[in-house]
Amino acid sequence: MPYPKKESPEVADPSDEAFVDLYETIYGESLDESEQSEEQMQDLQELVMMMPELANALASGDIGATEAALMIFREASNV
């Protein structure tokens, strides 16, 4: 008898606009073409995708950039 598959939770991918808003909220400046900005954005995207509830809420519009930033900072302070 086969074992039932464990389903991994679906993680929605927030829009580019949502990530830009979140970036600007966290870093306090506009996203530009610099290497530093690109690295910061990549790190931010990876961090959000490791937090499925946050990614889904951001993708669906249930929370905005300010609330998402607060969730990230709270999580970071618990580490």
Side-chain angles (χ1 to χ4, degrees), residues 5-27:
K5 288 184 180 179
K6 285 188 176 182
E7 292 185 27
S8 58
E10 285 291 315
V11 180
D13 193 9
S15 68
D16 289 343
E17 183 178 296
F19 275 119
V20 169
D21 288 347
L22 183 56
Y23 178 93
E24 292 174 353
T25 299
I26 289 175
Y27 291 103

Side-chain angles (χ1 to χ4, degrees), residues 4-71:
K5 288 184 180 179
K6 285 188 176 182
E7 292 185 27
S8 58
E10 285 291 315
V11 180
D13 193 9
S15 68
D16 289 343
E17 183 178 296
F19 275 119
V20 169
D21 288 347
L22 183 56
Y23 178 93
E24 292 174 353
T25 299
I26 289 175
Y27 291 103
E29 57 189 43
S30 297
L31 181 65
D32 58 34
E33 300 293 320
S34 73
E35 188 174 324
Q36 180 181 2
S37 288
E38 289 179 17
E39 288 175 5
Q40 289 171 329
M41 177 57 92
Q42 185 175 0
D43 291 345
L44 180 58
Q45 289 172 329
E46 290 173 7
L47 179 64
V48 168
M49 297 313 288
M50 288 189 304
M51 301 171 69
E53 290 177 13
L54 173 61
N56 291 337
L58 201 54
S60 67
D62 288 346
I63 64 170
T66 302
E67 190 173 347
L70 288 171
M71 290 174 70

